[in-house]
Amino acid sequence: MRDVQPVQDAVINNGVGTMNDRPIVRGLGLRKTFAERVAVDGIDLDIPRGRCFGLLGPNGAGKTTTLRMLLGLTPFDAGTLTVFDLPMPERAREVRARVGIVPQADTLDPDFSVAENLRVYASYFGLSRRQVEPRIDGLLDFANLGERRDARIDTLSGGMKRRLTIARALVNDPELVVLDEPTTGLDPQARHVIWSRLSELRDASKTLVLTTHYMEEAERLCDELIVVDHGRILDRGSPRALIKRHVEPEVIEVRGGADAVIAWPEIQAARTERMGSSLYCYTREPAPLLNRLQAATGIVFLHRPAGLEDVFLRLTGRELRD
Amino acid sequence: MANFDWTLPRARRGALAVWRRNVLVWRRLLGPAILMNFGEPLIYLLGFGLGLGVFVGQVADLPYLAFLASGIVASSAMTTATFEGMYSVFTRMVPQRTYEAILATPLEIDDILAGEMLWCATKGLMSGVAILLVGAGLGVVGGMSALWAIPVVFLIGLTFGGMAMIMTALADNYDFFSYYFVLLVTPMMMLCGVFFPIDGLPGWLQDVVQILPLTHAVALVRPLVVGAPVDAAGLHLSVLIGYASTSYYLAVVLVRRRLVV
Ligand SMILES: Nc1ncnc2c1ncn2[C@@H]1O[C@H](COP(=O)(O)OP(=O)(O)OP(=O)(O)O)[C@@H](O)[C@H]1O
Ligand SMILES: [Mg+2]
């Protein structure tokens, strides 16, 4: 069963303490075309300060392209955009001075050790040794890399590299941290460490913008998110609001014997979806179907509350993307 | 042209951070670097200059060793800056994604390439000066005027570093650089007056080499090193500065198209 408690907490925490109500990012009608391919097709954004804002979408949805536009790294074909109320892309240098970026691909500098990576990166922000040096230890602790400060980058695990990349994004003490798939490819332990670090950042009232394919990540971290596909926003809201809006509260997944179950009259009360040999039954009243399933033999099933993944699949469909 | 951002580049102080990054990496490899800078030219100069010099005697009113050493000061700045501007810059731009990381900071491509070009020139300078020192040890340096060769060698490094970065901006892989070496670097090495005077070439070829930057580099460096008067210094300097600034501009435009998409 999925634990949705953290999301609730997050909503409560962020009801207070947002003194500055002007959105940190405002975009209107953003569009970007690569050759013939429309990557971002009219996206409007307003990202509130001090929250965690998520972009959720399948592969190729346009998440990275959208983030790159926010940073002035991808010129857009149409639309208007301000970050910190500064017009983009004209003021990109100033904006990036106040943003921390965790890119989708690893860009740590293999020619340097862990601590040197932080120092050298800080030098690109024009920070002096004296400003940076006192911060290094704190950042290494934050990344749980204190013991590895002199290690070479290629000796680090995927999780360590990711943590270092996040620490690196904080050297300039940014107001806004942009993370493109911060936990993709990591094991559950590594992912949980990163989640707790990101929660700390949010509690320190940094604004976070992150993209992810992991529904659990979005549910735990994001106060608000947009679901994106084919460069368009399909819907926007808190994880709970989206779940409420798009799917019935309970799901029964029938994994063995779906062919028989589909003919039962008890199934009428549910909205069903077939996926391979599994049958997904979305319903408000699971009891009749559950009773019959429990009585039947040879049928494997799972009863759970609906989650963001169900919303995601409902909005973006079940076909494979690439 | 569509998709090209022809805005004039504006490098700022951040370029120095890129340059410093390369210095830090280079510092660790000091041993092999010094060996390359001093060992190789020493062998060349002794081998060619002394060995071949016996047969050749005087060239352009100079002992062959002096003629050769002063030419190699210029050509080694060229090859060193070219290597750095192609292989090392490509490594940082493509497989290592260093520029992607840097572009997430306030720096722009204008700054990155300015820093890289300064670094190419710095390496060119180190190899040129190494040869100058070796040459001084062999008694071919004609006096204090040789100190003027030092800023010129730095300019040569900027010129060839910039030209190399154009190739890097266009390259899909390292193999691409072979074209540049075979079609440009090696011919310049042979024809631009490093090993023998240009006036030995057929007339039409003499005209062709006048458009090649190494010709002008050698024409400046040689007299400064051996202590002879420099002819047409303004022209030679303008050609080198023209190549350096134009190639920086083109490289910035090409890398913008490649990375800022
Ligand atoms: N430089 C580029 N040149 C051509 N097409 C591109 C380029 N970058 C992105 N695209 C295309 O634009 C679309 C959106 O890409 P984008 O990288 O923004 O998606 P994404 O949501 O980040 O996907 P993923 O989850 O796989 O990272 C895709 O169809 C992609 O192929
Ligand atoms: Mg992406």
Side-chain angles (χ1 to χ4, degrees), chain A:
Chain A
M1 259 238 256
R2 191 163 287 155
D3 179 10
V4 289
Q5 205 57 41
V7 175
Q8 229 172 7
D9 291 345
V11 171
I12 293 162
N13 277 345
N14 281 277
V16 287
T18 45
M19 295 174 294
N20 192 340
D21 286 340
R22 287 183 74 78
I24 207 160
V25 174
R26 275 199 291 194
L28 209 62
L30 297 171
R31 266 180 71 86
K32 174 71 188 178
T33 310
F34 291 110
E36 301 292 279
R37 177 168 221 140
V38 183
V40 174
D41 190 9
I43 279 191
D44 299 334
L45 285 172
D46 66 284
I47 299 182
R49 195 177 280 271
R51 305 235 182 149
C52 179
F53 187 88
L55 281 79
L56 206 56
N59 286 131
K63 303 181 295 295
T64 299
T65 308
T66 305
L67 292 189
R68 285 177 59 88
M69 293 194 295
L70 299 188
L71 306 167
L73 298 174
T74 288
F76 38 92
D77 306 324
T80 57
L81 176 66
T82 61
V83 181
F84 308 124
D85 284 322
L86 299 171
M88 293 292 279
E90 295 81 5
R91 306 284 288 274
R93 277 180 192 260
E94 285 156 82
V95 165
R96 289 202 300 265
R98 295 162 65 184
V99 178
I101 301 172
V102 176
Q104 186 168 355
D106 170 29
T107 64
L108 293 169
D109 199 324
D111 290 326
F112 294 111
S113 72
V114 168
E116 286 170 334
N117 257 276
L118 298 178
R119 273 188 213 114
V120 170
Y121 197 74
S123 76
Y124 302 140
F125 287 89
L127 300 172
S128 68
R129 274 298 276 261
R130 204 171 311 136
Q131 290 169 293
V132 177
E133 219 46 46
R135 243 186 256 165
I136 300 265
D137 287 330
L139 289 170
L140 290 173
D141 283 345
F142 178 84
N144 292 44
L145 286 170
E147 327 244 281
R148 306 297 297 264
R149 58 183 308 138
D150 297 320
R152 290 172 47 106
I153 296 303
D154 52 17
T155 65
L156 301 182
S157 70
M160 291 174 180
K161 283 186 187 164
R162 218 58 192 142
R163 279 167 4 230
L164 179 57
T165 305
I166 295 173
R168 187 183 69 171
L170 302 173
V171 282
N172 57 327
D173 193 18
E175 295 159 56
L176 168 67
V177 184
V178 173
L179 306 107
D180 199 354
E181 300 189 18
T183 65
T184 297
L186 302 186
D187 64 27
Q189 287 86 346
R191 197 176 298 155
H192 277 268
V193 173
I194 288 185
W195 287 342
S196 81
R197 291 304 180 247
L198 296 183
S199 299
E200 283 172 36
L201 290 181
R202 201 186 47 185
D203 296 343
S205 75
K206 302 238 185 253
T207 307
L208 305 184
V209 175
L210 67 89
T211 74
T212 183
H213 312 284
Y214 293 118
M215 304 303 139
E216 191 185 351
E217 183 162 298
E219 287 192 22
R220 277 169 179 264
L221 294 175
C222 297
D223 303 304
E224 190 164 17
L225 51 88
I226 52 177
V227 181
V228 190
D229 199 8
H230 302 297
R232 295 208 186 96
I233 296 179
L234 301 179
D235 202 2
R236 166 179 187 157
S238 71
R240 311 195 99 213
L242 288 171
I243 294 166
K244 204 160 180 184
R245 195 174 310 151
H246 292 282
V247 288
E248 295 75 1
E250 303 195 34
V251 190
I252 301 167
E253 290 181 38
V254 182
R255 286 174 182 167
D259 291 331
V261 174
I262 206 154
W264 293 354
E266 287 83 354
I267 211 88
Q268 296 306 320
R271 181 174 61 81
T272 57
E273 272 182 48
R274 203 55 204 268
M275 178 73 183
S277 61
S278 300
L279 180 70
Y280 293 79
C281 312
Y282 295 93
T283 178
R284 290 175 200 289
E285 285 171 36
L289 180 56
L290 277 176
N291 289 339
R292 177 134 188 211
L293 283 166
Q294 268 147 5
T297 49
I299 292 179
V300 183
F301 68 95
L302 172 72
H303 176 212
R304 59 173 174 83
L308 208 47
E309 184 142 352
D310 302 297
V311 176
F312 186 78
L313 292 172
R314 178 112 202 245
L315 289 174
T316 63
R318 288 179 186 265
E319 322 85 71
L320 200 59
R321 298 309 168 82
D322 259 322

Side-chain angles (χ1 to χ4, degrees), chain B residues 4 85-86 89-90 93-94 113 162-177 179-180 250-258:
Chain B
F4 286 98
M86 294 203 296
V89 170
F90 187 83
M93 181 164 73
V94 185
L113 294 196
M163 289 169 64
M165 291 193 311
I166 294 179
M167 300 313 286
T168 308
L170 297 169
D172 284 329
N173 51 49
Y174 295 102
D175 298 327
F176 183 71
F177 299 138
Y179 292 111
Y180 185 70
L250 287 179
V252 167
V253 170
L254 290 169
V255 174
R256 277 180 192 154
R257 190 189 57 154
R258 183 164 181 159

Side-chain angles (χ1 to χ4, degrees), chain B residues 92-111:
Chain B
R92 294 191 274 272
M93 181 164 73
V94 185
Q96 223 164 274
R97 292 176 179 272
T98 310
Y99 298 172
E100 195 180 322
I102 298 177
L103 287 173
T105 73
L107 272 62
E108 289 181 344
I109 286 168
D110 311 17
D111 311 302

